Amino acid sequence: MKLEDVSAAVKHLQDFAAAQDIPIDGIVLTYNDVAYAKSCGRTGHHYKDGLALKFADDLYETTLCEIEWTPTRTGEIAPVAVFDPVEIDGCQVSRASLHNLSFIEGLELVPGNRIMVSKRNQIIPHIEENLDRGKFALDAVVPRQCPCCGQPTRIHQTEGGTRVVFCDNIGCDTRQLRKFVHFTGQKAMNIVGLSESALEKFIGKGWLHSYMDLYRLDSTALKSLRWRALAKNPGRISGMPSSTAG
């Protein structure tokens, strides 16, 4: 089989998938000789009788409207691109993570730029290119104050050289909320019954300052916010026994 034959077969499968409205992001080529395929052996991860071919993601042009900045539990302020909605694989997409300041600087992004957007692996929206480079200005994209607490921000460079925007205010409400959401989540203490909106209200009431305050919530406090089901059974909120075990 020649390279031209392989290319033709790949094109045929792509056309067939498009005609049948089957979403695919690649194909795997294998030998049609089972005995020979087995003789190729395998690694600890996969058989060596095939070749995976990943198709390039389709690109869609749109316009960057703004960059939103949100504090995380570590104090890093994460940027998100908001752009004119574009339909990708049947879904309206209007937001994508910008990861960090270095990513923004690399693409020279400022609001108003024409950008190319993809859906990587048909799942994750991603900005691939800026069609209007040359207009970048740091002051146009980096917030001087934290969008949550209003305290001054700073640009921090990690050991790997990545530049990020930081809020150093440990009392920042959004930063505190993200810390409690992480602490109560499945990957940490796995405290069942506490939603992010509940935690936000508790912080707003001044009930949560440290993680131990979660274990001091009583039925009176819960009733005042109409958490009646949880007030009847505070243990349900906290999954407290299980989260303190060990």
Side-chain angles (χ1 to χ4, degrees), residues 104-121:
I104 295 173
E105 291 177 316
L107 286 177
E108 303 180 29
L109 291 170
V110 293
N113 287 161
R114 292 174 301 134
I115 56 176
M116 300 301 292
V117 180
S118 73
K119 221 176 181 185
R120 290 194 170 180
N121 297 320

Side-chain angles (χ1 to χ4, degrees), residues 15 30 56 93 99 106 118 121 126 135 150-151 178 192 196 201 209 213 241 245:
D15 293 342
T30 61
V93 179
H99 311 293
S118 73
N121 297 320
H126 187 80
K135 303 176 183 179
Q151 293 296 306
R178 301 316 307 167
V192 179
E196 181 172 334
K201 286 183 171 64
H209 300 284
D213 290 335

Side-chain angles (χ1 to χ4, degrees), residues 15-239:
D15 293 342
F16 175 81
Q20 299 296 320
D21 196 23
I22 301 173
I24 61 173
D25 63 358
I27 62 173
V28 176
L29 307 174
T30 61
Y31 295 106
N32 60 358
D33 185 322
V34 176
Y36 180 76
K38 287 184 177 180
S39 71
C40 293
R42 60 170 298 173
T43 69
H45 177 265
H46 61 273
Y47 288 95
K48 298 168 67 175
D49 62 343
L51 176 67
L53 177 64
K54 176 74 168 61
F55 299 147
D57 294 308
D58 293 330
L59 300 180
Y60 301 82
E61 182 178 336
T62 185
T63 301
L64 178 64
C65 299
E66 63 175 311
I67 298 176
E68 290 184 354
W69 296 85
T70 304
T72 66
R73 64 186 176 87
T74 64
E76 181 179 336
I77 307 180
V80 173
V82 181
F83 44 83
D84 289 338
V86 59
E87 184 173 326
I88 305 178
D89 297 331
C91 299
Q92 289 290 317
V93 179
S94 61
R95 301 169 67 88
S97 172
L98 291 176
H99 311 293
N100 49 60
L101 180 57
S102 290
F103 183 85
I104 295 173
E105 291 177 316
L107 286 177
E108 303 180 29
L109 291 170
V110 293
N113 287 161
R114 292 174 301 134
I115 56 176
M116 300 301 292
V117 180
S118 73
K119 221 176 181 185
R120 290 194 170 180
N121 297 320
Q122 298 182 328
I123 298 175
I124 303 173
H126 187 80
I127 295 181
E128 302 288 352
E129 185 55 272
N130 178 8
L131 301 178
D132 296 323
R133 290 175 179 265
K135 303 176 183 179
F136 181 75
L138 197 64
D139 290 340
V141 296
V142 176
R144 295 184 178 181
Q145 289 83 34
C146 172
C148 174
C149 67
Q151 293 296 306
T153 61
R154 65 180 174 88
I155 295 176
H156 169 70
Q157 184 163 316
T158 67
E159 292 183 0
T162 301
R163 282 159 55 87
V164 299
V165 180
F166 227 84
C167 170
D168 289 317
N169 178 18
I170 60 174
C172 177
D173 285 346
T174 302
R175 183 174 176 180
Q176 287 294 313
L177 175 61
R178 301 316 307 167
K179 286 173 62 176
F180 280 105
V181 168
H182 174 77
F183 179 81
T184 59
Q186 188 174 10
K187 292 184 179 180
M189 300 305 289
N190 193 23
I191 298 178
V192 179
L194 270 178
S195 66
E196 181 172 334
S197 61
L199 288 168
E200 186 174 10
K201 286 183 171 64
F202 294 164
I203 292 173
K205 286 285 187 178
W207 295 344
L208 299 180
H209 300 284
S210 69
Y211 295 139
M212 286 306 301
D213 290 335
L214 285 167
Y215 299 88
R216 300 188 182 104
L217 293 171
D218 57 30
S219 59
T220 302
L222 296 173
K223 284 179 180 177
S224 71
L225 283 183
R226 298 184 180 181
W227 259 268
R228 300 186 187 281
L230 298 178
K232 292 178 181 177
N233 182 9
R236 177 184 159 200
I237 214 188
S238 21

